[in-house]
Amino acid sequence: MASLDSVLAVILGGGRGARLFPLTKQRSKPAVPIAGKYRLIDIPISNCINSGIYRINVLTQFNSVSLNRHITRTYNFDHFHPGWVQILAAEQTIDFNDWYQGSADAIRKQLFEIKVSRATHVLILAGDHLYRMDYAKMFEQHIASQANITVGVTPVAFQDAGRFGILKSDSSHRIIEFAEKPKDPAYQRSLISIDNPEKPLLGSMGIYLFDMETLSEMIQGTAYDDFGSQVIPAALKTHRVFGYQFDGYWEDIGTIRTFYETNLALTSPNPPFDFFDQERPIYTNSRYLPGTIVENSHLENVLMAEGCCIRNAEIRRSVIGLRSQVRCGVKIIDSVVMGADYYENPCWQDCDDHDDKAQIGIGANSHIEGAIIDKNARVGKNVVIRPFPRGTEIDRNDWSVKDGIVVVPKNGVIPSGTIIAP
C-alpha cells in the first residue's frame, strides 16, 4: 500500500521571473519576500511539511544564491528524521548542456536524481503560489481513483478563463479535455465541469501528482518542455488523468500587480489568506530580532514584521517588512516596504538630523504611496512617490513603474527631494 513516505515533492524554482522584474533582478522568483518576513518558496515547502511529505527537491537555475542560502539556513531536519530539502541546480552534463527549457524539461534533466530517491510518486509544485493545501488528501484521491496523473484544479469564472489552462472533467473527476487559455465564450461554455454559477470551470493550479513510471514515460525520450500545455494534454489520450478540486484561497504571484495586490490584501481585518494558523504554520528562517518599536505614530491596517523602528509616522494599508526604519514625518499609504537584511544605523535617529545622505529605510518627511520598496533600499528625505495610471510602464536606473506601481529595487537609492509621480 502506497504511503506519503513514498512521495517525493519537486518544487520548480528555476524560471527567470521576468514578469516580476525588478524584484527578480538579484534573486530568483521563489526567493521574493512576501508578507513582511517570508519568501515565496516557504509556501510550498510548508505545505509539504504540514501534509506529511518530508522529502523535497527544489530545482533552481537563475539568480539562485539567496534562494539556496535561505533553504540551507531554514530547512534542516535532525538525524532522527528521514526528511530533507535538497537543492538541484541546473548544470551541464554529458546528456544536457543547456538551461531548463520549461517545467517538463527541468524534470527531465533531473530525472536521474529524482529516481535515486526511490519514490513511487512525484508531486510537482510551483514556487510562486500563495495557498494552504493538504497534499495528503490529493494523494488519497490519486490512489483511490487508480490515477496515473492527478492535477490540482481550482474553480474559475468565465472572465478569468483566458488566464488558465482549463480542464474539463466527467462525473468521476477524470479529465477528458484540455484547453490552453480559451477566450471564445461558446467554447468556454462547452468546458463547464462543476455546478457553480459563479465559477463553473476548472483551472489548472500547476500542481501535478505522477506515478514515477508514468512520469518517466511522458518526459523521457520526448520533446515535451511544459507540463501544462504539452505533457498533460498528451497524457489524456494514453493515461488515467484525474483532477483534484481545491476550493480554498489560491493566488499565482506571477506579476508585479498580483504581488502588490496580494500583499495589500493581507493587511485587511479579514485577509483572504491567514498566516495565523497554529496547526498548519508557514515556516521561514528563524531570526533573532527584537520586537518592533513604534513611537507616536498612526497605524491603520498594517502588517508589520519584527525588528522595525517607526517614529512619528503615519502608515495605512501597507506591509512593513523586517528591520524597516521609518523616520519622522513619513507617510506610507497602500505600499509594500520589504525592510532590510541588516541595520546600518541605530534604531532611532534625531528628527532634526540635517544629513541629506539617503540611508537604508524611509527618510524623514517622505510620502510613499502605491509603491513597492525592496530590501535595503535608501529613500532620502522629502521624497514623494505616488502611483501612476494602471498600465504605465517606465524603467529608470533606480526605480521603475510596472502597471502603474512604482518599484524601488533592492539596494536602490532615491536621493532626497526626488519626486516620482504622474
Side-chain angles (χ1 to χ4, degrees):
M1 178 77 179
S3 69
L4 287 172
D5 291 337
S6 66
V7 177
L8 172 71
V10 179
I11 302 173
L12 303 174
R16 285 184 179 271
R19 294 185 301 160
L20 274 177
F21 190 87
L23 301 182
T24 52
K25 184 177 181 180
Q26 298 184 43
R27 59 167 79 90
S28 63
K29 186 162 53 172
V32 171
I34 189 169
K37 62 177 293 181
Y38 304 93
R39 293 178 185 259
L40 288 174
I41 192 67
D42 292 327
I43 307 303
I45 293 180
S46 298
N47 282 338
C48 286
I49 294 171
N50 293 331
S51 300
I53 298 173
Y54 300 109
R55 297 192 296 167
I56 305 166
N57 282 340
V58 180
L59 273 55
T60 67
Q61 181 167 265
F62 295 99
N63 287 338
S64 58
V65 172
S66 64
L67 178 64
N68 295 351
R69 181 171 59 241
H70 176 74
I71 290 172
T72 301
R73 289 177 176 177
T74 307
Y75 299 101
N76 296 296
F77 298 101
D78 61 40
H79 294 295
F80 302 98
H81 196 287
W84 38 261
V85 180
Q86 179 178 332
I87 297 166
L88 300 180
E91 61 182 356
Q92 289 187 329
T93 67
I94 298 298
D95 297 317
F96 306 108
N97 59 8
D98 55 0
W99 292 107
Y100 299 149
Q101 302 303 306
S103 55
D105 185 60
I107 297 294
R108 180 187 297 115
K109 288 172 178 172
Q110 297 291 353
L111 192 57
F112 175 79
E113 295 294 339
I114 290 171
K115 287 184 173 181
V116 165
S117 70
R118 303 179 67 85
T120 60
H121 297 81
V122 179
L123 177 65
I124 299 171
L125 306 168
D128 57 352
H129 297 164
L130 180 61
Y131 65 109
R132 182 180 278 107
M133 181 175 176
D134 186 354
Y135 303 133
K137 295 180 179 178
M138 183 178 182
F139 180 72
E140 290 171 4
Q141 179 188 299
H142 180 86
I143 298 300
S145 61
Q146 298 182 329
N148 301 120
I149 306 170
T150 298
V151 182
V153 294
T154 187
V156 172
F158 284 124
Q159 62 265 28
D160 296 323
R163 299 171 42 223
F164 291 88
I166 300 298
L167 302 164
K168 183 176 182 178
S169 66
D170 61 20
S171 58
S172 69
H173 305 295
R174 184 165 183 172
I175 303 299
I176 57 176
E177 188 175 350
F178 170 86
E180 178 68 18
K181 300 179 180 179
K183 294 180 173 58
D184 179 59
Y187 185 35
Q188 289 179 359
R189 286 192 293 272
S190 73
L191 298 170
I192 291 176
S193 295
I194 54 176
D195 184 15
N196 182 333
E198 295 183 359
K199 297 182 177 181
L201 305 177
L202 292 175
S204 172
M205 300 171 66
I207 298 174
Y208 311 104
L209 179 59
F210 280 82
D211 294 346
M212 180 68 81
E213 182 178 347
T214 302
L215 180 63
S216 297
E217 289 176 2
M218 293 306 302
I219 66 173
Q220 207 163 20
T222 71
Y224 300 140
D225 289 334
D226 185 72
F227 281 108
S229 61
Q230 294 176 307
V231 173
I232 300 303
L236 295 181
K237 306 171 185 176
T238 57
H239 293 78
R240 292 173 58 82
V241 183
F242 285 73
Y244 174 76
Q245 185 173 326
F246 177 71
D247 295 314
Y249 174 85
W250 175 83
E251 186 63 60
D252 180 355
I253 314 293
T255 67
I256 291 292
R257 172 62 62 179
T258 56
F259 174 84
Y260 172 78
E261 292 180 348
T262 299
N263 270 277
L264 291 195
L266 297 173
T267 68
S268 64
N270 185 26
F273 183 87
D274 186 8
F275 278 92
F276 292 90
D277 190 322
Q278 296 185 39
E279 295 183 358
R280 299 174 298 168
I282 302 300
Y283 300 98
T284 192
N285 185 23
S286 297
R287 303 172 179 88
Y288 302 100
L289 292 173
T292 287
I293 299 176
V294 179
E295 179 185 308
N296 193 30
S297 298
H298 176 81
L299 308 182
E300 181 181 335
N301 292 348
V302 177
L303 176 61
M304 186 179 298
E306 60 265 37
C308 301
C309 297
I310 314 295
R311 188 178 188 189
N312 298 333
E314 177 184 344
I315 307 176
R316 291 190 279 120
R317 196 169 176 259
S318 297
V319 175
I320 307 298
L322 295 158
R323 304 183 187 87
S324 289
Q325 297 212 21
V326 179
R327 298 178 175 89
C328 297
V330 167
K331 180 179 288 188
I332 300 175
I333 303 170
D334 294 339
S335 295
V336 179
V337 179
M338 294 189 186
D341 291 316
Y342 56 92
Y343 292 110
E344 184 178 49
N345 295 299
C347 184
W348 295 132
Q349 184 177 17
D350 189 348
C351 290
D352 297 324
D353 182 18
H354 297 291
D355 184 2
D356 285 332
K357 181 181 178 182
Q359 301 177 3
I360 288 181
I362 312 299
N365 302 312
S366 290
H367 181 107
I368 311 298
E369 183 174 353
I372 299 172
I373 311 298
D374 205 339
K375 280 192 171 183
N376 307 332
R378 302 165 184 269
V379 177
K381 298 179 180 180
N382 302 302
V383 169
V384 176
I385 297 177
R386 297 186 186 276
F388 287 70
R390 289 191 68 150
T392 303
E393 300 285 331
I394 301 173
D395 286 309
R396 297 286 189 269
N397 288 333
D398 286 319
W399 58 272
S400 303
V401 178
K402 301 296 180 181
D403 195 12
I405 302 163
V406 178
V407 183
V408 178
K410 186 175 182 180
N411 301 317
V413 179
I414 305 299
S416 296
T418 300
I419 298 176
I420 304 173

